[in-house]
Amino acid sequence: MICPKCNAMIPDGSTACPECGTQFETHIGSFAGSVHWEDEVKPPKSERARKRSILIGCAVLALVLLFDHLCRTGTLMEIIWFFRRLLRS
């Protein structure tokens, strides 16, 4: 196998690169007998990146729910009307 970070040769079954120390998770390929190193070795996702993804997902969901609420109550049309009137003045 080859390290995706430093391109060093990695012994089969290793969980870390002997050259740069990058940690890996091992994955079983989808086709029996034809597993490539890309299928076997994947750098673990950092905890910070995972938390950032969750936070962005929650923010998008909150915006969608807010937009839905504004549409259902008619408040969105009032906001649009207010800004149109403000721009005309």
Side-chain angles (χ1 to χ4, degrees):
M1 293 186 295
I2 299 173
C3 175
K5 185 174 181 183
C6 70
N7 294 325
M9 291 299 294
I10 304 170
D12 288 339
S14 296
T15 58
C17 175
E19 297 294 322
C20 66
T22 301
Q23 297 291 319
F24 303 106
E25 297 175 3
T26 56
H27 295 277
I28 299 172
S30 57
F31 300 104
S34 63
V35 178
H36 300 287
W37 70 269
E38 293 94 357
D39 296 330
E40 295 175 5
V41 177
K42 178 183 168 192
K45 195 171 186 180
S46 72
E47 185 66 24
R48 185 174 183 185
R50 187 172 91 43
K51 287 181 181 179
R52 186 181 313 126
S53 298
I54 291 171
L55 184 63
I56 290 172
C58 289
V60 168
L61 179 63
L63 289 174
V64 167
L65 291 174
L66 177 64
F67 182 76
D68 180 60
H69 175 72
L70 292 175
C71 287
R72 288 177 190 252
T73 60
T75 310
L76 184 61
M77 293 308 294
E78 291 178 18
I79 293 171
I80 292 171
W81 177 80
F82 172 77
F83 280 109
R84 277 187 176 173
R85 188 170 176 208
L86 186 66
L87 290 174
R88 287 183 188 163
S89 325

